[in-house]
Every structure is written in structure tokens, then in C-alpha cells.
């Protein structure tokens, strides 16, 4: 399973990248706004900076909702760097645009996916990645990890090449469950990634080893 970090914060991207386990970055308009990135030039420059920091796929989301505008915006985003993946919302115009990008060799990430039916459409359009939002599904009283398992199963039966990118990860257990469910990618904020490191017995064991080492 590939690890992407789900943030536009450069310090957090650097910290995750320095671990040596980072395969890419996903962003969205909310995450960009949180970092105070405003205006087309600043947005484009921010994506360029991220691409220069991390050697992997970098999702940059379109802000348009009509076919022609999504295609025009996506072409500009894709021109920033070869690693840019154009992130397109799961709407009718978005599916048409994903098919256009597929036919024109531009990678895509179909976002805001909350059902297996939506995931089938994204795969039919040739999306590189499909992003089911598992935390938001859990928040609504459904089972996000179960949806990941269902999509992985459907894609396997049908031979779809689209990668299942589990998004809206809230805790380390989500990451483990997504790995068990067969997700191709997990995109997470820094905190759940670092949370995987933690176990009290590791801390207790290390303290004892270091204490005993003084007697060596
Ligand atoms: O990037 C999309 C997704 O990961 C958003 O997560 O926590 O806002 O539901 P969240």
C-alpha cells in the first residue's frame, strides 16, 4: 500500500517525506485555504513547490464544475509538473472530463466518492485513482472501511486498473484497516501516520534496554 500525505502544509509534507516512506501528496481546496494560499499564481506555485519536494504523484484539485472549464483548468494544472494528478469531483461533468483526461494521457484522481456505484463510474472513465472518503462515511453512521473492501473486490473481479485511494483517514487504525481491505493507497494527515509508530511496550522496552546498556 502506498502512503500519501493529505495536506498542503509544507512542514508536515517535509516531516513525512524525511521518514522515507512517502509516495505522494493529496490536497484539496479546504487544505489549500487552511495554509492561506490565495490566487491562481500562488496556488500554481504551491503545487510546484510540493512537486519539487516529493518524488511521487501530487493531486491538485480543479475548482470548476463544467466539462470545458474542468478540462481547461486540468490542462493548466497538469502542465505544472509531470507528477501532477488532476483531482476531479464525482459529478456528471467530472466523469466526462476524467474520460477526456484519460484519452489525453493526463492522470486523474476522482474525489468525493461515497458509494461503489460512483467508484465503478470513475473506473469506467479510466481514473488513475478513486478516492472514497472513509472518515466522512463513518461520521454519517456508515462503514467506510467496508466500502474500501467492496470497491477493491469489484475492481478485482472486473479487472479495473483504477487504484483505490482511501481518503478522509482519521486515525492509525483506519490505515491498518485499509491495508487489510486491500487499498492501493492511503492518504492521511501526518498525525495518523506518526500514530503508527506508537506502542507503550516499545517505549518501556527501549527505556529498559537503555538502562541496562549502562551496565554493559
Ligand atoms: O483529501 C480529501 C479527504 O482526505 C478529506 O478528509 O478529514 O476532510 O474528511 P476530511
Amino acid at each position: 500500500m502506498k502512503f500519501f500525505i493529505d495536506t498542503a502544509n509544507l512542514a508536515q509534507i517535509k516531516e513525512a517525506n524525511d521518514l522515507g516512506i512517502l509516495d505522494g501528496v493529496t490536497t484539496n481546496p479546504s487544505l489549500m485555504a487552511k495554509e492561506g494560499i490565495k490566487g491562481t499564481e500562488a496556488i500554481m506555485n504551491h503545487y510546484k513547490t510540493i512537486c519539487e519536494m516529493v518524488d511521487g504523484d501530487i493531486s491538485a484539485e480543479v475548482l470548476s464544475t463544467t466539462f470545458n472549464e474542468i478540462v481547461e483548468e486540468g490542462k493548466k494544472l497538469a502542465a505544472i509538473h509531470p507528477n501532477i494528478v488532476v483531482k476531479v469531483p464525482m459529478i456528471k461533468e467530472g466523469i466526462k472530463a476524467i474520460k477526456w483526461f484519460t484519452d489525453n494521457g493526463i492522470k486523474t484522481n476522482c474525489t468525493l466518492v461515497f458509494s461503489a456505484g460512483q467508484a465503478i463510474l470513475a473506473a469506467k472513465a479510466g481514473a488513475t485513482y478513486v478516492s472514497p472518503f472513509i472518515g466522512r462515511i463513518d461520521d454519517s453512521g456508515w462503514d467506510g472501511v467496508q466500502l474500501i473492501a467492496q470497491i477493491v473486490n469489484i475492481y478485482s473481479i472486473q479487472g479495473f486498473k483504477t487504484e483505490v485511494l482511501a481518503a478522509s483517514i482519521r486515525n492509525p487504525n483506519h490505515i491498518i484497516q485499509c491495508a487489510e481491505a486491500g487499498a492501493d493507497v492511503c492518504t492521511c494527515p501526518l498525525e495518523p501516520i506518526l500514530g503508527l509508530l506508537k506502542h507503550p511496550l516499545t517505549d518501556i522496552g527501549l527505556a529498559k534496554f537503555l538502562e541496562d546498556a549502562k551496565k554493559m
Side-chain angles (χ1 to χ4, degrees), residues 6 26-28 31 87 133 136 167-170 187:
D6 193 26
T26 53
T27 60
N28 63 40
L31 295 171
K87 203 170 176 187
F133 278 25
R136 294 191 195 184
S168 186
I169 299 288
R170 300 283 164 76
T187 189

Side-chain angles (χ1 to χ4, degrees), residues 80-136:
I80 297 172
H81 193 278
N83 288 351
I84 285 284
V85 176
V86 180
K87 203 170 176 187
V88 181
M90 166 43 75
I91 53 176
K92 199 196 294 185
E93 297 289 290
I95 286 297
K96 282 162 63 178
I98 287 171
K99 179 68 171 75
W100 189 92
F101 289 130
T102 304
D103 292 344
N104 287 275
I106 293 175
K107 289 181 283 186
T108 52
N109 175 354
C110 184
T111 189
L112 289 167
V113 166
F114 294 90
S115 76
Q118 292 177 325
I120 290 170
L121 272 182
K124 283 295 291 179
T128 314
Y129 299 102
V130 65
S131 288
F133 278 25
I134 73 166
R136 294 191 195 184

Side-chain angles (χ1 to χ4, degrees), residues 1 17 37-39 41 64-65 75 80-81 91 104 118-119 133-134 140 155 168 178 180-181 200 207 210 213:
M1 185 172 73
N17 200 36
I37 319 292
K38 278 190 190 146
E41 201 184 330
S64 314
T65 53
K75 282 197 283 189
I80 297 172
H81 193 278
I91 53 176
N104 287 275
Q118 292 177 325
F133 278 25
I134 73 166
S140 327
Y155 282 10
S168 186
C178 285
E180 279 184 318
L210 293 178

Side-chain angles (χ1 to χ4, degrees), residues 151-204:
I151 297 170
V152 166
N153 189 35
I154 290 170
Y155 282 10
S156 163
I157 291 167
Q158 298 297 333
F160 288 133
K161 299 282 178 276
T162 299
E163 293 190 43
V164 180
L165 190 164
S168 186
I169 299 288
R170 300 283 164 76
N171 54 60
N173 205 34
H174 265 160
I175 302 175
I176 297 162
Q177 290 175 310
C178 285
E180 279 184 318
D184 299 289
V185 191
C186 212
T187 189
C188 337
L190 181 61
E191 206 178 324
I193 297 175
L194 296 180
L196 291 174
L197 287 165
K198 291 181 196 156
H199 196 287
L201 290 178
T202 304
D203 299 338
I204 293 166

